Amino acid sequence: TSSSETFLLGGSRSVDRGNNWLETLYLNYQTESFSVGGESGNSVMLMPGITWSKVSADNRIYPLRGLRLLLDVHGAHPDLLSNVQFVQVRAQAKFVHKFLAKERIILRGDVGATRFGAIRSLPTSVRFFAGGAQSVRGYSYNSLGPVNASGQVVGGSQLLVGSAELEHRFTDKWSAALFYDAGNAMSNWQESLKKGAGFGIHWRSPVGPIRFDLGFALSEPGIPKRLHITVGPDL
């Protein structure tokens, strides 16, 4: 229900703050022509921001014990060469831990909040959507969020997603997994979360696990299912 065309030019400066923490100051100039739920617009944004991130793991590709944290704050204001006004905060975390002999537990969280003038003025890239392989499995990519009068997803100002996964390795290269996801993009924190659960088969490749996950949309009538295929390192 959305499309956009974006031009972005930016610069950044990263500083090692010790204990695996990396601080990045950045400044992005972005123009965006967008259409969301039948409404279109054009935005011009000069966005200063700051990110703190940390990765600690015994192996970035396939960790037995690892942690990834990220906190990002950025925004735009009409007094700073922009035609929209907002401040957005987003925090992400992922935790991997081995227990017993061949099991791993993988926990993931993603929360965001936006303070803005008018949601209709915000371009697609600034709105929150949920659903998909890296969000709530069982639902299609970016299919979750506030909808307009026609039932089209238009994105929200807040985001809350959580996931828990148990993986069992039955050979050196192959694992089976069970997972439960919950989350949504929202206009306020009182809105309900969408739930998804399922199972998967994972193959440990040289570039990271290749995951075949079958997710069931528990919050939808008839509990439809969706296959998700992802490739890449755990952290």
Short mmCIF file of all heavy atoms in Angstrom, two decimals, residues 115-143:
data_model
loop_
_atom_site.label_atom_id
_atom_site.label_comp_id
_atom_site.label_asym_id
_atom_site.label_seq_id
_atom_site.Cartn_x
_atom_site.Cartn_y
_atom_site.Cartn_z
N ARG A 115 7.64 11.41 17.63
CA ARG A 115 6.88 12.61 17.98
C ARG A 115 6.86 13.50 16.75
O ARG A 115 7.91 13.83 16.19
CB ARG A 115 7.54 13.35 19.15
CG ARG A 115 6.71 14.50 19.71
CD ARG A 115 7.41 15.13 20.90
NE ARG A 115 6.62 16.21 21.47
CZ ARG A 115 5.70 16.07 22.40
NH1 ARG A 115 5.45 14.85 22.88
NH2 ARG A 115 5.02 17.10 22.87
N PHE A 116 5.65 13.86 16.29
CA PHE A 116 5.54 14.50 14.98
C PHE A 116 4.43 15.54 14.98
O PHE A 116 3.62 15.63 15.92
CB PHE A 116 5.23 13.44 13.92
CG PHE A 116 3.98 12.64 14.21
CD1 PHE A 116 2.75 13.04 13.74
CD2 PHE A 116 4.04 11.49 14.98
CE1 PHE A 116 1.60 12.33 14.00
CE2 PHE A 116 2.90 10.76 15.27
CZ PHE A 116 1.68 11.18 14.78
N GLY A 117 4.41 16.31 13.89
CA GLY A 117 3.37 17.30 13.72
C GLY A 117 2.08 16.69 13.19
O GLY A 117 1.03 16.78 13.80
N ALA A 118 2.15 16.03 12.03
CA ALA A 118 1.00 15.37 11.43
C ALA A 118 1.48 14.12 10.72
O ALA A 118 2.43 14.16 9.94
CB ALA A 118 0.29 16.31 10.44
N ILE A 119 0.81 12.97 10.98
CA ILE A 119 1.24 11.70 10.41
C ILE A 119 1.18 11.73 8.89
O ILE A 119 2.01 11.11 8.21
CB ILE A 119 0.40 10.53 10.97
CG1 ILE A 119 0.95 9.18 10.50
CG2 ILE A 119 -1.05 10.69 10.57
CD1 ILE A 119 2.29 8.85 11.06
N ARG A 120 0.24 12.47 8.32
CA ARG A 120 0.12 12.51 6.87
C ARG A 120 1.32 13.19 6.21
O ARG A 120 1.60 12.95 5.04
CB ARG A 120 -1.17 13.24 6.46
CG ARG A 120 -2.44 12.48 6.79
CD ARG A 120 -3.67 13.20 6.27
NE ARG A 120 -4.89 12.44 6.50
CZ ARG A 120 -6.10 12.83 6.10
NH1 ARG A 120 -6.23 13.99 5.44
NH2 ARG A 120 -7.15 12.09 6.34
N SER A 121 2.02 14.03 6.95
CA SER A 121 3.17 14.72 6.38
C SER A 121 4.42 13.85 6.39
O SER A 121 5.40 14.17 5.69
CB SER A 121 3.45 16.02 7.15
OG SER A 121 3.88 15.74 8.47
N LEU A 122 4.42 12.77 7.16
CA LEU A 122 5.62 11.95 7.28
C LEU A 122 5.77 11.04 6.06
O LEU A 122 4.82 10.36 5.67
CB LEU A 122 5.56 11.10 8.54
CG LEU A 122 5.56 11.84 9.88
CD1 LEU A 122 5.57 10.85 11.02
CD2 LEU A 122 6.75 12.78 9.98
N PRO A 123 6.95 10.97 5.48
CA PRO A 123 7.17 10.08 4.34
C PRO A 123 7.20 8.61 4.79
O PRO A 123 7.28 8.30 5.98
CB PRO A 123 8.53 10.52 3.80
CG PRO A 123 9.22 11.10 4.98
CD PRO A 123 8.15 11.75 5.80
N THR A 124 7.16 7.71 3.81
CA THR A 124 7.13 6.28 4.11
C THR A 124 8.31 5.85 4.95
O THR A 124 8.18 5.03 5.87
CB THR A 124 7.11 5.48 2.80
OG1 THR A 124 6.02 5.93 1.99
CG2 THR A 124 6.96 4.00 3.07
N SER A 125 9.50 6.39 4.68
CA SER A 125 10.71 5.95 5.35
C SER A 125 10.72 6.28 6.84
O SER A 125 11.50 5.69 7.60
CB SER A 125 11.94 6.57 4.68
OG SER A 125 11.90 7.98 4.78
N VAL A 126 9.88 7.19 7.28
CA VAL A 126 9.85 7.60 8.67
C VAL A 126 8.73 6.91 9.45
O VAL A 126 8.75 6.86 10.68
CB VAL A 126 9.72 9.14 8.77
CG1 VAL A 126 9.60 9.61 10.21
CG2 VAL A 126 10.92 9.81 8.11
N ARG A 127 7.76 6.34 8.76
CA ARG A 127 6.67 5.64 9.43
C ARG A 127 7.09 4.22 9.79
O ARG A 127 7.96 3.63 9.17
CB ARG A 127 5.43 5.60 8.53
CG ARG A 127 4.97 6.96 8.05
CD ARG A 127 3.65 6.87 7.32
NE ARG A 127 3.35 8.10 6.59
CZ ARG A 127 2.15 8.40 6.09
NH1 ARG A 127 1.16 7.55 6.22
NH2 ARG A 127 1.96 9.55 5.44
N PHE A 128 6.44 3.67 10.82
CA PHE A 128 6.73 2.31 11.25
C PHE A 128 5.73 1.32 10.63
O PHE A 128 4.52 1.60 10.59
CB PHE A 128 6.66 2.19 12.77
CG PHE A 128 7.81 2.85 13.48
CD1 PHE A 128 7.58 3.83 14.43
CD2 PHE A 128 9.12 2.48 13.20
CE1 PHE A 128 8.64 4.43 15.10
CE2 PHE A 128 10.18 3.09 13.85
CZ PHE A 128 9.94 4.05 14.80
N PHE A 129 6.25 0.19 10.19
CA PHE A 129 5.44 -0.92 9.72
C PHE A 129 5.97 -2.19 10.39
O PHE A 129 7.12 -2.25 10.81
CB PHE A 129 5.53 -1.08 8.20
CG PHE A 129 5.04 0.09 7.41
CD1 PHE A 129 5.86 1.18 7.16
CD2 PHE A 129 3.74 0.11 6.92
CE1 PHE A 129 5.41 2.27 6.43
CE2 PHE A 129 3.27 1.19 6.18
CZ PHE A 129 4.11 2.27 5.94
N ALA A 130 5.15 -3.22 10.48
CA ALA A 130 5.58 -4.50 11.06
C ALA A 130 5.14 -5.64 10.15
O ALA A 130 4.33 -5.46 9.24
CB ALA A 130 5.01 -4.67 12.46
N GLY A 131 5.67 -6.81 10.44
CA GLY A 131 5.36 -7.99 9.64
C GLY A 131 6.51 -8.38 8.74
O GLY A 131 7.18 -7.53 8.17
N GLY A 132 6.76 -9.69 8.63
CA GLY A 132 7.81 -10.18 7.76
C GLY A 132 8.83 -11.02 8.51
O GLY A 132 8.74 -11.21 9.72
N ALA A 133 9.83 -11.49 7.77
CA ALA A 133 10.80 -12.43 8.32
C ALA A 133 11.62 -11.86 9.46
O ALA A 133 12.03 -12.59 10.37
CB ALA A 133 11.73 -12.91 7.21
N GLN A 134 11.89 -10.55 9.46
CA GLN A 134 12.68 -9.91 10.51
C GLN A 134 11.79 -9.20 11.53
O GLN A 134 12.28 -8.44 12.37
CB GLN A 134 13.65 -8.91 9.89
CG GLN A 134 14.57 -9.49 8.85
CD GLN A 134 15.49 -10.56 9.41
OE1 GLN A 134 15.96 -10.46 10.54
NE2 GLN A 134 15.75 -11.60 8.63
N SER A 135 10.49 -9.44 11.47
CA SER A 135 9.55 -8.77 12.35
C SER A 135 8.61 -9.81 12.97
O SER A 135 9.04 -10.62 13.80
CB SER A 135 8.78 -7.69 11.57
OG SER A 135 7.88 -7.01 12.39
N VAL A 136 7.35 -9.82 12.57
CA VAL A 136 6.38 -10.81 13.05
C VAL A 136 6.14 -11.81 11.93
O VAL A 136 5.52 -11.49 10.91
CB VAL A 136 5.06 -10.14 13.48
CG1 VAL A 136 4.11 -11.18 14.08
CG2 VAL A 136 5.32 -9.02 14.48
N ARG A 137 6.66 -13.02 12.10
CA ARG A 137 6.53 -14.04 11.08
C ARG A 137 5.11 -14.60 11.04
O ARG A 137 4.39 -14.60 12.04
CB ARG A 137 7.55 -15.16 11.33
CG ARG A 137 8.96 -14.78 10.95
CD ARG A 137 10.01 -15.73 11.51
NE ARG A 137 10.20 -15.51 12.94
CZ ARG A 137 11.18 -16.08 13.66
NH1 ARG A 137 12.02 -16.91 13.07
NH2 ARG A 137 11.29 -15.81 14.94
N GLY A 138 4.70 -15.04 9.85
CA GLY A 138 3.32 -15.44 9.60
C GLY A 138 2.55 -14.37 8.86
O GLY A 138 1.47 -14.62 8.33
N TYR A 139 3.12 -13.15 8.80
CA TYR A 139 2.51 -12.01 8.11
C TYR A 139 3.46 -11.53 7.01
O TYR A 139 4.67 -11.64 7.14
CB TYR A 139 2.22 -10.88 9.08
CG TYR A 139 1.33 -11.27 10.24
CD1 TYR A 139 1.87 -11.89 11.37
CD2 TYR A 139 -0.03 -11.04 10.21
CE1 TYR A 139 1.07 -12.27 12.43
CE2 TYR A 139 -0.85 -11.40 11.27
CZ TYR A 139 -0.29 -12.03 12.39
OH TYR A 139 -1.10 -12.41 13.43
N SER A 140 2.90 -10.97 5.96
CA SER A 140 3.74 -10.50 4.87
C SER A 140 4.49 -9.23 5.28
O SER A 140 4.14 -8.56 6.26
CB SER A 140 2.90 -10.24 3.61
OG SER A 140 1.90 -9.27 3.86
N TYR A 141 5.51 -8.89 4.52
CA TYR A 141 6.40 -7.78 4.81
C TYR A 141 5.62 -6.46 4.90
O TYR A 141 4.87 -6.09 3.99
CB TYR A 141 7.47 -7.69 3.73
CG TYR A 141 8.40 -6.51 3.86
CD1 TYR A 141 9.32 -6.45 4.90
CD2 TYR A 141 8.36 -5.47 2.95
CE1 TYR A 141 10.18 -5.38 5.03
CE2 TYR A 141 9.22 -4.40 3.05
CZ TYR A 141 10.12 -4.35 4.10
OH TYR A 141 10.97 -3.28 4.22
N ASN A 142 5.78 -5.74 6.03
CA ASN A 142 5.18 -4.42 6.25
C ASN A 142 3.66 -4.41 6.10
O ASN A 142 3.07 -3.40 5.72
CB ASN A 142 5.79 -3.39 5.29
CG ASN A 142 7.15 -2.92 5.74
OD1 ASN A 142 7.65 -3.34 6.78
ND2 ASN A 142 7.77 -2.04 4.98
N SER A 143 3.02 -5.54 6.42
CA SER A 143 1.56 -5.62 6.27
C SER A 143 0.82 -5.24 7.54
O SER A 143 -0.42 -5.19 7.53
CB SER A 143 1.16 -7.04 5.86
OG SER A 143 1.48 -7.98 6.88
#
